[in-house]
Amino acid sequence: MRNIRLEENTQFTFEDSKFDKLFLAIGSCECHGEHLPFGCDSLVSHQIALDLAERFDDAVVAPPLWFGMSQHYRHQPMCLSLSDDTVVRVVRELLDSALYWGIKKVLIVNGHDGNIAPIEIAARDFKVQNPDFGLAVLDAWWVTAGNLLPENTFEVWNGLGHGGEGETSIGLSIFPELCDMDRAKGQVPEFDTNVKLIWNFDELTPYGASGDPTKATKEKGDAMRQVLVDYLEKYIRHMDAQNWRYGVVK
């Protein structure tokens, strides 16, 4: 029987399954307020990848990367961070490994804002060196989900925030046993929409969480998972049909 978790496969089951796509989830180990677990970003991105792989006969999901570039969150316990340069190297070397074993289609599902820049650097560099490789990145699922859902889904800040309404909702959908809603609290920071101010997280909120996690519900989280996986399935099938070359999903 096909097993979509790479770590649970053997040489025989891997070769017998004839996987041609790898889904790679990348997260972090850092504070998300007092109400969410340190591994939230990895747990979420990995589950999205697993949900997606269930819809394909030729996709396998790598074990999640539990660490990312989290130095801007290290004012609260317990943050285990890699540097930008390390994340670039790790992503690049994982892509090299996939290619070595004949997998030429990779979707990276990122769960943490600090990984966006290093993933972009690694992916661009790898694509230049391997132009026939199919490579796509969901770099900010929390933004994508908000874009896909009806405008009235969220009550505060379109669900955004580190440990905020959206992220807490999807946590309630995936790992409710690890969420302590009695301790949920956050703060919505004020951002200029035209110029990016580079911040450390303690400048935005004293709580370890931004946005408003008290507005989170499992139902919102279920809806986020549904629209994300539905869209990604459509995207992957579209990419397969055109050999993972540039094009817009319609």
Side-chain angles (χ1 to χ4, degrees), residues 92-163:
R92 174 59 196 259
E93 290 172 11
L94 290 173
L95 294 173
D96 280 331
S97 296
L99 179 59
Y100 183 85
W101 291 110
I103 292 181
K104 299 180 180 179
K105 301 174 183 177
V106 171
L107 170 69
I108 298 174
V109 182
N110 176 46
H112 169 57
D113 69 312
N115 296 334
I116 294 174
I119 289 173
E120 175 77 8
I121 292 169
R124 289 288 183 186
D125 179 60
F126 185 83
K127 181 66 176 179
V128 168
Q129 297 299 318
N130 302 279
D132 294 331
F133 195 91
L135 181 57
V137 182
L138 179 67
D139 62 0
W141 63 259
W142 51 97
V143 175
T144 303
N147 291 338
L148 295 173
L149 286 165
E151 290 186 5
N152 62 351
T153 300
F154 300 109
E155 299 177 55
V156 177
W157 202 21
N158 199 31
L160 295 175
H162 181 80

Side-chain angles (χ1 to χ4, degrees), residues 142 146 151 154-166 186-191 193 199 201 204-205 209-212 215:
W142 51 97
E151 290 186 5
F154 300 109
E155 299 177 55
V156 177
W157 202 21
N158 199 31
L160 295 175
H162 181 80
E165 183 181 358
Q187 179 173 305
V188 179
E190 295 183 3
F191 286 114
T193 58
W199 43 261
F201 197 60
L204 308 185
T205 170
S210 59
D212 190 351
K215 304 299 185 182

Side-chain angles (χ1 to χ4, degrees), residues 7 16 27 74-75 101 105 126 141 159 190 194 203 227 229:
E7 69 273 20
D16 187 61
R74 62 183 178 180
H75 63 288
W101 291 110
K105 301 174 183 177
F126 185 83
W141 63 259
E190 295 183 3
N194 296 311
E203 300 175 54
V227 296
V229 177

